[in-house]
Amino acid sequence: MYEIEIGRGKRGRRAYSFDDVAIVPSRRTRDPEDVSTDWQIDAYHFSLPVLSAPMDSVVSPATAVAIGRLGGLGVLDLEGLWTRYEDPEPLLAEIAALDAAVAVRRMQEIYSEPIKPELITARLAQVRAAGVTVAGALSPQRTQEFWKVVVDAGVDLFVIRGTTVSAEHVSGRSEPLNLKRFIYELDVPVVVGGAATYTASLHLMRTGAAGVLVGFGGGAAHTTRRTLGIHAPMASAVADVAAARRDYMDESGGRYVHVIADGGVGTSGDIVKAVACGADAVMLGAALARATEAPGRGWHWGSEAHHSVLPRGERVHVGTVAPLAEILEGPGRVADGTTNLVGALRRSMATTGYSDLKEFQRVEVVVSPYQPA
């Protein structure tokens, strides 16, 4: 680790994105069929290390079920259109057709509709009826208001997801969410984030979180770097949070907190490098928004795109490349890393000689001397 002098009065640590690093083959190779991508968080087991980002362009109740049946975890946005409107399909179609000049303003109008607790209950019940693991996400600001509705609806995993989440939010206007007390009182495992530093993630782990989301402003639909000047290169961020997990295991007597890369994971190669840097799983937004079943109809946006005061995201066109099953498990029909994402992970693990995800976290990583095309 070294710092670079930016000027006489400021130094900065060099950090790396996934594009800056590459993994290195070892002395052993394996058959891809002998590789396992299984992972488990709390009592819930998954064959794919993939969570869907809780975004309206990615997840509807139907796609949450489809992702669950394929072996991943569909996380429903409980502040999205599905909990504001009885039938959001016409509005999803309208958002996809909006002219860029009016898109932000119109989305702000659409998302000004209040969240309805009865719709939270109904949407989660729809996922539960399909027999898959049920996960829903709220922002830290909305968790105090709706957490009981979510838990009473029978959620299996509770996700608290914001652009950034800290264990020490300070407010002079209202009582902030006390994460440690909140998680202690819940009967379900909580995944919380984003976090992008060793210290912030260590504090989140000490709250009792089952998993930490790693990322800040790095997703395809974010403009956080342009609007707030904040960004976390993901290879360094994941490695830093993985180091916090290691130290927290020692501190807590062996309690393992899962590290989930969230942002900047757009292709299969990014997934490979996220796990190599220490992630247990990845949360995918744009990668799944490209599915033919995705509610965004080839467009992708997050809650930041329609913030009522300071939008720091945008609606981006990602296109439609394949059905969800082909995006996750193939067969791939294009060579750009947008399909057969988990198949590519298995192939990379096999090529470097590793049999499971935790082993693969020990693979050798180098800083690339070039920017790949």
Side-chain angles (χ1 to χ4, degrees), residues 161-199:
R161 184 179 188 258
T163 306
T164 187
V165 177
S166 75
E168 298 182 15
H169 179 68
V170 178
S171 174
R173 300 173 57 191
S174 61
E175 183 181 355
L177 176 68
N178 184 323
L179 271 178
K180 189 168 187 175
R181 185 177 67 198
F182 175 78
I183 291 173
Y184 177 78
E185 292 175 352
L186 280 187
D187 290 329
V188 299
V190 177
V191 175
V192 62
T197 66
Y198 173 94
T199 301

Side-chain angles (χ1 to χ4, degrees), residues 137-358:
L138 291 172
S139 65
Q141 295 82 2
R142 296 283 194 172
T143 296
Q144 298 258 51
E145 185 177 358
F146 293 114
W147 72 267
K148 193 172 188 310
V149 176
V150 176
V151 173
D152 288 348
V155 73
D156 295 316
L157 285 162
F158 194 114
V159 178
I160 302 175
R161 184 179 188 258
T163 306
T164 187
V165 177
S166 75
E168 298 182 15
H169 179 68
V170 178
S171 174
R173 300 173 57 191
S174 61
E175 183 181 355
L177 176 68
N178 184 323
L179 271 178
K180 189 168 187 175
R181 185 177 67 198
F182 175 78
I183 291 173
Y184 177 78
E185 292 175 352
L186 280 187
D187 290 329
V188 299
V190 177
V191 175
V192 62
T197 66
Y198 173 94
T199 301
S201 58
L202 184 60
H203 285 196
L204 289 178
M205 291 172 189
R206 288 170 177 162
T207 67
V212 172
L213 300 172
V214 183
F216 189 102
H222 283 73
T223 59
T224 309
R225 185 170 184 170
R226 295 203 303 269
T227 56
L228 298 184
I230 303 174
H231 178 64
M234 282 295 289
S236 293
V238 171
D240 283 347
V241 177
R245 174 184 60 203
R246 176 200 64 209
D247 292 348
Y248 178 70
M249 282 186 68
D250 290 340
E251 172 188 305
S252 63
R255 184 173 181 271
Y256 190 91
V257 178
H258 295 269
V259 173
I260 301 164
D262 177 16
V265 192
T267 66
S268 56
D270 296 329
I271 296 172
V272 168
K273 288 182 272 191
V275 177
C277 288
D280 298 289
V282 295
M283 178 169 273
L284 301 181
L288 300 183
R290 300 185 184 109
T292 53
E293 305 95 321
R297 297 159 170 78
W299 291 86
H300 181 47
W301 66 91
S303 60
E304 298 83 5
H306 50 78
H307 192 279
S308 60
V309 177
L310 183 63
R312 50 193 184 276
E314 56 193 355
R315 184 198 57 155
V316 296
H317 189 255
V318 295
T320 300
V321 299
L324 188 60
E326 288 187 15
I327 285 178
L328 287 173
E329 292 203 281
R333 305 183 193 280
V334 292
D336 59 1
T338 59
T339 59
N340 200 2
L341 302 178
V342 180
L345 174 61
R346 288 194 187 98
R347 175 75 60 175
S348 188
M349 292 168 65
T351 300
T352 52
Y354 293 90
S355 62
D356 60 48
L357 295 172
K358 282 191 170 57

